[in-house]
């Protein structure tokens, strides 16, 4: 596979000692401004360590950046419509729920509340659509509808990259780092939903993991909410906590302890581990039954599955939701080839091709949060082993992207796998994300905004760049023509 290259924003001519000094300063800046996380190796509530970040911003073509920035509100609306189209959700997910018990559990909750009638018709979406460059085009990796992370930290990292460019003597280059304030945009969504709920005493509930490593990012949301409206109280609970603490009030209010909840913001609940027993599933159902505004509601959650993404890439699928040909064309342009593994003749030839040319594809299950996809020769092995089994319908195949390579330094804490990368101007690739906020019900969209971006960068030889896993790094785009 031929891979193209991008020029880095600057070529540093520093001795090893000078580089060490600038990295030390960068780390202190990062720690002092919250570009941090808790250590997975030695968890301690009293300590954070630097979250992996790039020393310099990474080059990114302006025209592609602007294209997906402009398209975000269209994607928000598309996903909103998909989430409110019962027939489409059933049709897309039917075979998958037969093969994947996790998606089936989510779908059962959806069907239950759909049949009962939603006690809260509004949904809040804090979405993030992710992209990679491939053969001089920009293509969508996936669209997250649940727990879209790092909105807080990326707001800070663009300030850091401006600082470091000036520190290194390149103030003239700062103008190429675009303004970015997703934390404010995302929290405006949360506070607007709180206002729509119309009870000044009601709190916003963050549903979190029992142990949170990515604490800084989540707290940035909490602190920003307080900045926007100091009267709004935020509480944090795991699904496990809610098993004993949550109940429904007489008017379907969600009550936690003695507090009424206006908005439920899920930063957990997309992963199998969040539901160790049936009780956590019961709590998810109770939340969906309540009249609290959910971010995401169960229908938004399902609309963000990879299977739905694949269904939308079928030719003519978008015509169900969008009437304007120009908009349909713009959205179709960012879709990659996506393939169902349902049982039919068309699928068999895609499977044959993926077994012969695994590097052309990524094999994806219905999971979120990184580390679940299958690459390279494992695709062949996995496809061969499940070819004749129902199991394969839980997966999709996707064309694999090979984004352009450039050089950067990845800085991370001493105990991370790439701790020496900051010394090497090494080959990296980037993934751009655009944040979007939407609020609406079946009939109306009442709020729809694009609110900022994220760049995540990883060593070019890694399949995935999980930030919390210490492989990927938080970055800022340095726009080039
Ligand atoms: P998750 O829900 O686990 O985040 P993604 O679809 O975003 O799933 O995949 C995780 C990571 O795998 C991405 O961030 C990207 O690094 C890599 N990846 C996913 N799809 C592709 C693709 N089509 N081509 C190349 N890399 C991909
Ligand atoms: Mg992802």
């Amino acid at each position: 596979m031929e891979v193209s290259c991008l020029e880095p924003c600057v070529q540093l001519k520093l001795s090893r000692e000078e580089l060490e000094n600038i990295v030390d300063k960068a780390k202190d800046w990062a720690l002092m401004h919250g570009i941090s996380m808790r250590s997975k190796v030695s968890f301690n509530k009293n300590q954070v360590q630097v979250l992996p970040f790039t020393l310099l911003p990474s080059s990114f073509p302006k025209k592609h950046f602007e294209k997906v920035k402009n398209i975000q509100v269209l994607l928000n609306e598309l996903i909103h419509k998909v989430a409110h189209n019962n027939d489409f959700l059933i049709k897309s997910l039917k075979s998958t729920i037969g093969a994947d018990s996790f998606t089936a559990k989510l779908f059962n909750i959806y069907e239950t509340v759909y049949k009962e009638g939603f006690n809260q018709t509004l949904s809040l979406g804090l979405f993030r659509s992710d992209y990679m460059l491939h053969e001089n085009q920009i293509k969508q990796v996936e669209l997250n509808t649940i727990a879209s992370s790092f909105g807080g930290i990326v707001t800070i990292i663009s300030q850091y990259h401006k600082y470091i460019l000036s520190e290194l003597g390149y103030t003239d280059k700062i103008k190429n780092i675009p303004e970015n304030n997703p934390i404010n945009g995302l929290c405006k969504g949360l506070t607007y939903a709180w206002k729509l709920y119309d009870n000044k005493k009601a709190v916003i509930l963050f549903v979190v993991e029992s142990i949170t490593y990515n604490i800084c990012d989540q707290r940035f949301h909490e602190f920003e909410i307080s900045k926007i409206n100091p009267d709004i109280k935020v509480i944090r609970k795991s699904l496990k906590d809610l098993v004993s603490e949550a109940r429904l009030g007489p008017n379907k209010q969600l009550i936690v302890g003695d507090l009424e909840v206006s908005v439920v913001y899920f930063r957990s609940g997309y992963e199998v581990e969040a539901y160790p027993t049936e009780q956590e599933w019961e709590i998810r159902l109770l939340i969906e039954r309540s009249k609290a505004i959910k971010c995401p509601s169960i229908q938004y959650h399902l609309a963000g599955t990879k299977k739905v993404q694949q269904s939308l890439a079928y030719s003519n699928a978008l015509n169900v939701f969008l009437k304007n040909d120009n908009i349909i064309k713009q959205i179709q342009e960012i879709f990659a080839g996506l393939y169902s593994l349902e049982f039919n003749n068309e699928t068999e030839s895609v499977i044959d091709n993926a077994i012969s040319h695994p590097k052309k594809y990524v094999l994806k299950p219905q999971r979120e949060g990184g580390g679940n996809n299958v690459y390279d020769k494992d695709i062949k092995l996995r496809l061969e082993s499940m070819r004749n089994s129902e199991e394969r319908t839980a997966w999709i195949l996707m064309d694999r992207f090979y984004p352009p390579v450039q050089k950067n330094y990845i800085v991370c804490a001493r105990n991370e796998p790439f701790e020496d990368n900051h010394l090497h101007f090494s080959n990296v690739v980037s993934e751009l994300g655009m944040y979007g906020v939407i609020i609406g019900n079946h009939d109306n969209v009442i709020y729809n905004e694009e609110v900022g971006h994220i760049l995540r960068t990883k060593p070019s030889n890694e399949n995935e760049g999980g930030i919390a896993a210490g492989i990927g790094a938080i970055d800022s785009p340095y726009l080039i023509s």
Side-chain angles (χ1 to χ4, degrees):
M1 208 67 61
E2 202 177 315
V3 175
S4 57
C5 295
L6 292 173
E7 284 299 311
C9 66
V10 294
Q11 295 266 6
L12 298 183
K13 293 189 180 62
L14 302 177
S15 67
R16 187 184 164 115
E17 195 189 342
E18 287 166 328
L19 187 59
E20 292 280 7
N21 282 339
I22 201 84
V23 167
D24 275 349
K25 195 186 303 205
K27 279 188 178 178
D28 288 346
W29 197 103
L31 279 173
M32 291 169 65
H33 291 79
I35 303 173
S36 325
M37 65 177 181
R38 291 223 171 102
S39 169
K40 285 194 168 164
V41 185
S42 52
F43 181 85
N44 179 338
K45 268 197 173 184
N46 301 300
Q47 291 173 357
V48 288
Q49 62 180 33
V50 291
L51 186 87
F53 65 99
T54 58
L55 185 68
L56 302 169
S58 290
S59 298
F60 200 92
K62 189 173 182 182
K63 68 171 184 195
H64 294 310
F65 177 85
E66 285 181 346
K67 179 174 177 164
V68 294
K69 190 176 172 72
N70 292 332
I71 221 177
Q72 186 58 39
V73 290
L74 305 176
L75 291 175
N76 290 346
E77 192 169 342
L78 171 65
I79 296 302
H80 178 84
K81 287 181 173 164
V82 168
H84 289 89
N85 187 323
N86 184 50
D87 291 344
F88 189 84
L89 288 181
I90 292 179
K91 214 168 130 222
S92 305
L93 293 168
K94 203 167 140 207
S95 62
T96 301
I97 59 183
D100 179 37
S101 61
F102 183 72
T103 312
K105 290 264 197 197
L106 294 173
F107 194 83
N108 281 344
I109 291 177
Y110 165 72
E111 271 204 315
T112 306
V113 285
Y114 181 81
K115 284 183 182 146
E116 290 174 358
F118 296 106
N119 288 313
Q120 175 54 260
T121 56
L122 291 173
S123 295
L124 166 64
L126 303 184
F127 298 160
R128 199 188 71 213
S129 182
D130 292 335
Y131 303 91
M132 281 177 163
L133 297 171
H134 179 71
E135 294 179 343
N136 205 22
Q137 293 182 306
I138 187 154
K139 293 286 181 184
Q140 187 180 51
V141 174
E142 65 156 347
L143 189 141
N144 301 282
T145 60
I146 184 162
S148 307
S149 57
F150 294 120
I153 288 176
V154 293
T155 302
I156 308 295
I157 198 82
S158 61
Q159 296 163 24
Y160 159 76
H161 281 126
K162 287 177 186 177
Y163 163 77
I164 205 74
L165 282 182
S166 69
E167 195 59 24
L168 291 163
Y170 297 98
T171 39
D172 57 317
K173 293 188 180 274
I174 289 174
K175 62 180 185 302
N176 299 321
I177 298 179
E179 281 307 307
N180 199 26
N181 196 355
I183 192 63
N184 184 256
L186 296 168
C187 292
K188 270 188 187 150
L190 286 160
T191 54
Y192 190 28
W194 174 86
K195 204 165 165 194
L196 290 167
Y197 188 83
D198 200 20
N199 174 351
K200 287 207 156 54
K201 290 211 185 84
V203 302
I204 299 182
L205 165 66
F206 284 24
V207 177
V208 297
E209 311 96 314
S210 300
I211 297 177
T212 301
Y213 299 99
N214 191 14
I215 191 71
C216 302
D217 189 53
Q218 294 181 7
R219 291 288 191 196
F220 274 129
H221 289 70
E222 192 172 333
F223 303 156
E224 185 75 13
I225 288 170
S226 165
K227 230 193 258 174
I228 294 173
N229 184 341
D231 292 332
I232 304 178
K233 188 172 150 73
V234 169
I235 60 169
R236 294 166 58 86
K237 300 279 175 192
S238 67
L239 283 173
K240 188 164 184 280
D241 298 332
L242 293 170
V243 168
S244 54
E245 295 179 42
R247 62 187 168 87
L248 287 186
N251 299 317
K252 306 290 179 194
Q253 309 96 311
L254 177 62
I255 312 282
V256 176
D258 54 4
L259 299 168
E260 181 170 345
V261 175
S262 54
V263 179
V264 183
Y265 175 41
F266 286 100
R267 288 297 298 249
S268 170
Y270 56 84
E271 69 287 36
V272 178
E273 299 74 31
Y275 306 89
T277 70
E278 242 352 89
Q279 288 181 311
E280 283 78 13
W281 283 110
E282 283 162 19
I283 280 298
R284 180 72 191 267
L285 175 61
L286 181 136
I287 292 173
E288 298 300 330
R289 276 179 167 148
S290 79
K291 69 171 217 181
I293 299 173
K294 274 76 70 182
C295 175
S297 59
I298 191 74
Q299 62 271 34
Y300 269 14
H301 189 167
L302 290 174
T305 53
K306 307 215 165 36
K307 184 63 190 157
V308 166
Q309 179 190 12
Q310 176 265 309
S311 304
L312 286 170
Y314 271 124
S315 63
N316 296 333
L318 293 182
N319 299 338
V320 176
F321 303 103
L322 305 165
K323 298 291 163 252
N324 181 317
D325 288 344
N326 182 33
I327 290 180
I328 293 176
K329 186 169 154 274
Q330 282 184 57
I331 295 181
Q332 271 168 347
E333 269 174 15
I334 60 156
F335 286 170
L338 286 143
Y339 315 92
S340 148
L341 293 186
E342 284 163 47
F343 286 86
N344 59 46
N345 291 342
E346 207 180 314
T347 313
E348 298 309 320
S349 65
V350 177
I351 294 180
D352 286 338
N353 199 22
I355 288 174
S356 317
H357 307 285
K359 285 196 169 295
K360 284 190 175 169
Y361 297 91
V362 180
L363 179 63
K364 298 189 177 185
Q366 307 307 307
R367 293 289 179 276
E368 303 294 328
N372 301 298
N373 299 339
V374 177
Y375 300 87
D376 302 324
K377 64 178 187 315
D378 293 336
I379 294 184
K380 175 175 167 353
L381 299 176
R382 195 57 88 88
L383 283 175
E384 282 172 346
S385 82
M386 68 183 178
R387 185 158 199 168
N388 299 316
S389 137
E390 245 349 273
E391 186 198 344
R392 75 183 217 193
T393 59
W395 298 73
I396 61 155
L397 274 168
M398 180 174 189
D399 287 345
R400 180 161 180 179
F401 309 133
Y402 288 90
V405 174
Q406 64 184 298
K407 298 228 184 263
N408 207 333
Y409 304 87
I410 292 180
V411 180
C412 62
R414 291 298 315 166
N415 55 10
E416 294 292 343
F418 293 93
E419 63 180 34
D420 285 330
N421 270 12
H422 68 269
L423 291 175
H424 305 289
F425 204 35
S426 51
N427 287 339
V428 297
V429 294
S430 298
E431 181 171 349
L432 180 72
M434 282 289 160
Y435 293 97
V437 176
I438 189 161
I439 304 177
N441 58 22
H442 185 278
D443 303 314
N444 293 304
V445 169
I446 55 179
Y447 189 82
N448 184 4
E449 302 277 338
E450 174 276 311
V451 299
H453 58 269
I454 176 174
L455 196 72
R456 288 172 300 162
T457 291
K458 64 183 181 184
S460 61
N461 58 350
E462 291 292 332
N463 289 328
E464 291 193 23
I467 308 265
I471 297 170
I474 291 281
D475 197 351
S476 304
Y478 177 87
L479 298 183
I480 54 170
S481 49

